[in-house]
Structures are given as structure tokens and as C-alpha cells.
Amino acid sequence: MSNPRGAQDNPTTTGTTSPSPNLTGDPQDATYTTTAPAAGEQPPVAADPVGAGTAPGPIDTDTDAGTGTAGETDLGAGTGGEYYSPRDVDGDGNVDLIHTRIEGVETITHIDEDGSITLVEQDTDGNGTYETGIAPTATGIRLAEDLDDDGTVDLATHLDPTTGAPLRQDVIEDGRITDTRLDTTADGNPDVHLIDSNGDGRFDTALLDTDLDGITNDTLVDTNGDGTFDLRTADTDNDGTQESFDTATDGHLGSIEQFEALIPAEDHYHEQADTYPTETPADQTATDLA
């Protein structure tokens, strides 16, 4: 599973932990005209959501106010156009966001009242839009990426908050999760691949790597949309080709619910699929689900 640059997918980019903001923005508009912090005031130190450090401080070699618009404080607007600019957007005396340009990368960091980072947006490819973001969730960190600069998130990756390792990756089309890969063993490789093949908002196909060698061993399909699998194909000799198949009408092949339970109950997927599991099973592996 790759570790993309990306973080969120609904229509707002304010400081929020909502599972889905729109990432479109113009770095030229990132310089806000607002009430500036008092002279000498420093922004609060904010916890980095991925545990990699704290909010960046002013560039040591450039401590004079920059050339921003009236009411702004731009610290370090110097060499190479790099700068660090804290903003009090609502005029309450606290820094709400920090606009920086470092090595050509435009970044807006949104900060909560307690100093916590709630959202980081970046224009990593320098094409004039913020296509990448990162935000904390109830269970970890969510990265999202607008791959085609159309203003909506196409790829979202959920990371372990301690190690930063990708645990789940979602493909998003028209605001809906259509494809999810999960690393249930945290070994760095996905072993469960869920697909919504008919576009109804709910997964109907599960590909399982039960022996964790990167080859799909079993494929389960709900062909009639009743939530239970009625077709199973298997790769019996592990050569990458599925040779055997089994059909069922009595539900003995299992249901999609066992895989949906691997996704946190508050996740956007359950809203789109109209499924709300009460809890996520602990220590469940791909081999338990075959």
C-alpha cells in the first residue's frame, strides 16, 4: 500500500475534523487580511497530527515583518520567497492559521483554540491549487489527495497515528468510497480488498490474501445485493489464478458485514452504505475472515 501525499473530501476547508473537505484553493488567496497578533506575539505551539514535530517557527535569518497586505504579520518573507505568516482570522487574539512557503511548497495550517492542528493543506506540485491535506480523525490520521485538480478528493489514506504506516486506502469517486484496501495485520501490505462493483454505495466484493504473500487466495461476491456472499472463487495452488468456485444460497459463505466492521463506525463509508456497526472487532486478521 502506498503512502500518498493526500487528506479529506467534503465541501469545506475550515479547521475541522469532518471526514471529508474539498481541497481546492488558490495559494494566491492564502494571505488573509485580518487583525494581526500583537507585536512580538508568537503563535501557540501546536501538536503535529502525525507526531513528526510542532508547528514551524519563524525562519531564524528573517525576523522582520514582511510585505503582506494591511493588518498582516509575515515573518521571514525572505530568501527564495520563503515565509511564515501566522493569522488571527476571527480577531480573537489567537492565531487561527499559519500560511507558509518553504522550498516553494505553499502550506496552510489550521489551528484550534487549544493550539492543536486540525487541518494542513498543501500545494505540493506548485500548480496553484491546494490538492493535498492531512487531518486527525477519531482513530488516527487521514491523508487525502485530489489527483486531477478537479476540487474533489480522489484518494484517501488512513495512517497509524503512532507509526505513520498506512492501514487503509480508499478510492473515492463522485464523493463515494468505491474501493478500499485494508492492512489488517499492520505488516505494510494490504490483505483485504473491498469493492463496490455496482455503484450502490455498499461493498459487494471481497478479495482476501489469507496467507499474506501478496496473492489473492479467495474472492467473495454478493451477486444479488442482499448483503451475503453467494459466490466464492479460490486459488488452490497459489499460482495467481483462481481455479475453483463455490456458490451458496444459505449464507454459509458469510456476509459483507464482517468486513464492514473493520471500518470505524463513524466513518463516511457507513453513512453512504447505510450501515452502522456498533464496534470494530479486535485482533481480527484476514485468515479469520476467509
Side-chain angles (χ1 to χ4, degrees):
M1 184 182 296
S2 63
N3 191 344
R5 301 166 302 174
Q8 300 243 3
D9 62 276
N10 82 13
T12 141
T13 53
T14 56
T16 174
T17 56
S18 166
S20 22
N22 183 308
L23 295 176
T24 297
D26 186 346
Q28 298 302 317
D29 298 330
T31 301
Y32 298 88
T33 302
T34 62
T35 303
E41 178 183 347
Q42 294 296 318
V45 175
D48 189 322
V50 293
T54 58
I59 300 172
D60 292 339
T61 57
D62 228 333
T63 56
D64 295 334
T67 57
T69 58
E72 297 169 352
T73 300
D74 287 338
L75 305 178
T79 305
E82 297 186 357
Y83 65 86
Y84 172 91
S85 181
R87 310 284 172 168
D88 177 11
V89 175
D90 56 12
D92 66 353
N94 296 318
V95 172
D96 304 303
L97 57 84
I98 301 171
H99 179 208
T100 63
R101 184 187 299 119
I102 299 175
E103 296 184 355
V105 176
E106 299 272 356
T107 301
I108 294 182
T109 302
H110 299 256
I111 302 174
D112 204 353
E113 292 179 357
D114 63 0
S116 300
I117 293 175
T118 59
L119 176 64
V120 178
E121 300 171 281
Q122 288 189 317
D123 175 18
T124 60
D125 55 15
N127 70 344
T129 60
Y130 288 95
E131 83 293 329
T132 299
I134 180 171
T137 66
T139 56
I141 304 296
R142 185 175 184 270
L143 291 164
E145 198 169 16
D146 177 6
L147 302 176
D148 53 10
D149 286 320
D150 68 348
T152 60
V153 172
D154 305 301
L155 186 69
T157 303
H158 300 259
L159 308 177
D160 184 292
T162 303
T163 66
L167 299 177
R168 171 180 150 210
Q169 191 170 82
D170 299 329
V171 174
I172 301 170
E173 298 178 5
D174 298 324
R176 285 190 169 189
I177 298 171
T178 60
D179 184 299
T180 289
R181 297 173 188 263
L182 301 111
D183 178 7
T184 64
T185 61
D187 66 351
N189 298 299
D191 43 75
V192 175
H193 182 187
L194 305 177
I195 301 171
D196 172 14
S197 64
N198 59 11
D200 67 354
R202 189 176 188 185
F203 296 130
D204 50 59
T205 303
L207 290 75
L208 311 178
D209 176 11
T210 57
D211 55 9
L212 309 179
D213 63 354
I215 297 175
T216 298
N217 303 102
D218 296 286
T219 299
L220 301 169
V221 184
D222 172 16
T223 62
N224 58 11
D226 66 354
T228 61
F229 297 117
D230 40 63
L231 173 64
R232 174 180 180 172
T233 61
D235 179 1
T236 56
D237 56 8
N238 213 43
D239 66 350
T241 301
Q242 306 214 335
E243 301 90 3
S244 68
F245 70 94
D246 185 17
T247 58
T249 57
D250 57 4
H252 80 267
L253 295 179
S255 73
I256 197 64
E257 290 180 353
Q258 62 187 307
F259 301 103
E260 291 172 326
L262 296 171
I263 300 173
E266 68 277 5
D267 190 271
H268 172 62
Y269 167 76
H270 295 287
E271 178 182 354
Q272 75 175 42
D274 196 26
T275 56
Y276 295 91
T278 55
E279 61 182 290
T280 300
D283 299 324
Q284 195 160 19
T285 66
T287 50
D288 297 327
L289 303 173

